[in-house]
Amino acid sequence: MQVSRFLFILLWMITAQISFGQTINTESLKNGDLIFVGAEKENLSGAINRVTQRDKNISFDHIGLIEMNKDTIFVLHASAKQGSIREEIHVFYDNQKTKENNLIIYRLKSENQKAIPQAIHQAKEMLGKPYNWSYILQEDSYYCSDFIERAFRTFHIFQLEPMTFINPATGKTDEFWIDFYHKQNLAVPEGKLGCNPNGLAASDKLTKVAELIL
């Protein structure tokens, strides 16, 4: 009897995980959803995550905004390779998905969804600008989380915060960032206002939906 009950509970848990949407496809996406790209362990991606990760289960280095347009789904985002662009979602997925990462969908809570039309309009106004490799806020170029924060700024969905480039494991400025800014003849912008994908994912105005699978 106890074995049967255990099997029943186990089956219910498995079924529940499937039905509760651990993964979704494009048919379940909504206008204004945010797509977060999982961080990798090395290079720029790993360096971003080392100094910005807030939760051991949340590890992102890129973000885009979903636009539903008739029969096509686009991602509006600031690409390191192409600058601020509007990209068909399958192209975005193929460019961002690797063996090491996942693409996770977050959604504005119902009381904040009134911000979506203006955010998409604002994001389109920012297309065509180059990528901001200094991560110091300016008006002529954008980086990924900066692009999204600006899109939603009218409704104060996200907040700018003092940036840090200190590696928590050492308590010192991460060596990657020292070299990164040295090559640009810039001081590490410790404490300057900015934002990052992990910080945006932590917003209390969002809810995590599921992993996107195409």
Side-chain angles (χ1 to χ4, degrees):
M1 188 71 175
Q2 289 182 340
V3 173
S4 298
R5 185 182 179 189
F6 171 78
L7 291 174
F8 172 80
I9 293 173
L10 181 61
L11 179 61
W12 179 88
M13 290 174 65
I14 294 172
T15 304
Q17 283 189 325
I18 295 172
S19 63
F20 291 164
Q22 295 299 303
T23 64
I24 62 172
N25 56 28
T26 55
E27 294 179 358
S28 299
L29 293 175
K30 293 186 178 182
N31 200 44
D33 281 350
L34 293 167
I35 181 167
F36 286 81
V37 179
E40 298 180 23
K41 296 180 180 180
E42 304 296 333
N43 303 316
L44 178 62
S45 177
I48 291 172
N49 193 60
R50 279 196 301 275
V51 299
T52 66
Q53 188 174 18
R54 302 188 181 196
D55 184 320
K56 65 180 181 179
N57 297 316
I58 296 176
S59 175
F60 300 125
D61 73 347
H62 191 59
I63 180 177
L65 172 62
I66 300 292
E67 179 201 1
M68 312 292 288
N69 185 275
K70 295 182 179 180
D71 297 328
T72 306
I73 302 174
F74 292 100
V75 181
L76 305 166
H77 68 118
S79 162
K81 293 181 179 180
Q82 298 173 272
S84 300
I85 59 173
R86 182 175 184 251
E87 194 168 42
E88 197 274 328
I89 193 166
H90 287 85
V91 176
F92 178 90
Y93 189 92
D94 289 344
N95 287 339
Q96 301 293 335
K97 185 75 176 73
T98 71
K99 293 180 180 180
E100 295 183 26
N101 70 6
N102 296 322
L103 276 61
I104 308 296
I105 300 299
Y106 279 67
R107 184 166 293 157
L108 269 71
K109 294 178 180 178
S110 57
E111 63 268 27
N112 302 117
Q113 292 190 6
K114 61 186 178 182
I116 291 171
Q118 172 61 27
I120 291 176
H121 173 77
Q122 180 59 34
K124 287 183 174 181
E125 291 290 308
M126 296 188 291
L127 296 178
K129 292 290 184 73
Y131 190 78
N132 180 0
W133 282 104
S134 75
Y135 302 110
I136 299 171
L137 297 179
Q138 55 178 287
E139 299 302 320
D140 296 325
S141 60
Y142 311 121
Y143 57 90
C144 67
S145 53
D146 170 33
F147 181 85
I148 299 301
E149 186 277 326
R150 289 173 189 263
F152 286 95
R153 185 173 291 179
T154 299
F155 288 84
H156 308 288
I157 299 300
F158 304 107
Q159 301 295 323
L160 295 176
E161 299 176 332
M163 294 190 292
T164 184
F165 298 85
I166 295 175
N167 186 330
T170 65
K172 299 179 180 179
T173 302
D174 192 277
E175 290 294 331
F176 178 95
W177 292 111
I178 293 174
D179 184 59
F180 182 86
Y181 283 105
H182 177 73
K183 290 177 179 177
Q184 298 186 57
N185 293 315
L186 293 171
V188 177
E190 183 72 28
K192 290 187 178 292
L193 289 180
C195 54
N196 60 77
N198 286 322
L200 268 56
S203 171
D204 61 3
K205 296 179 175 64
L206 302 181
T207 183
K208 183 178 179 181
V209 180
E211 179 186 352
L212 178 65
I213 298 294
L214 300 188

